[in-house]
Amino acid sequence: MSNVEKQWVEVCEQDALVKDAGVCALVKDQQVAIFHLERSEEKLFAVSNYCPIGKANVISRGIVGSVANEPVIASPLYKQQFSLKSGRCLQQEDALLKTYPVRLENGQVQILA
């Protein structure tokens, strides 16, 4: 069992999010990219901001879209697409983004970290 318990951390107000784009937040010393997809069934996604292929914190600057109805983010460096649900890279199986549970609570964006 881990000594570090996860808890919901308030990150920002809902109004700070940019529709159909990403923003970056520092959560417990980790850069997290948060996406608000207005037309998706699920609206909020949170993944690591670190691109394991480009080796840089850039994911929040990527381009959002969908592949086979799965919401994805294309890294701005080499354009690999990562699932916003699972963090899985669609072009390179060994590349993965960490995902975080995210929710809205009383107008606040919260991440389980």
Side-chain angles (χ1 to χ4, degrees):
M1 178 185 277
S2 172
N3 291 335
V4 179
E5 289 189 33
K6 291 184 177 183
Q7 59 185 344
W8 289 101
V9 176
E10 288 189 359
V11 176
C12 64
E13 294 184 12
Q14 180 180 4
D15 295 344
L17 298 178
V18 180
K19 292 178 183 173
D20 299 320
V23 297
C24 183
L26 189 62
V27 180
K28 292 189 174 181
D29 295 327
Q30 300 293 313
Q31 289 192 26
V32 178
I34 304 166
F35 296 90
H36 176 212
L37 303 186
E38 190 167 75
R39 288 177 267 167
S40 174
E41 189 171 305
E42 259 182 85
K43 304 286 183 211
L44 292 177
F45 300 91
V47 297
S48 169
N49 195 40
Y50 184 76
C51 176
I53 297 168
K55 310 274 187 228
N57 288 304
V58 296
I59 293 297
S60 65
R61 299 291 185 195
I63 299 169
V64 294
S66 67
V67 173
N69 291 324
E70 183 166 356
V72 298
I73 180 69
S75 173
L77 294 177
Y78 299 115
K79 311 301 185 229
Q80 284 90 356
Q81 297 165 319
F82 295 89
S83 166
L84 286 171
K85 290 183 176 180
S86 68
R88 178 179 60 89
C89 179
L90 303 185
Q91 290 79 30
Q92 191 172 325
E93 287 185 19
D94 62 339
L96 184 70
L97 297 178
K98 182 177 181 178
T99 60
Y100 299 86
V102 59
R103 70 181 183 186
L104 276 177
E105 190 76 20
N106 298 322
Q108 296 289 316
V109 177
Q110 298 180 339
I111 291 177
L112 188 62

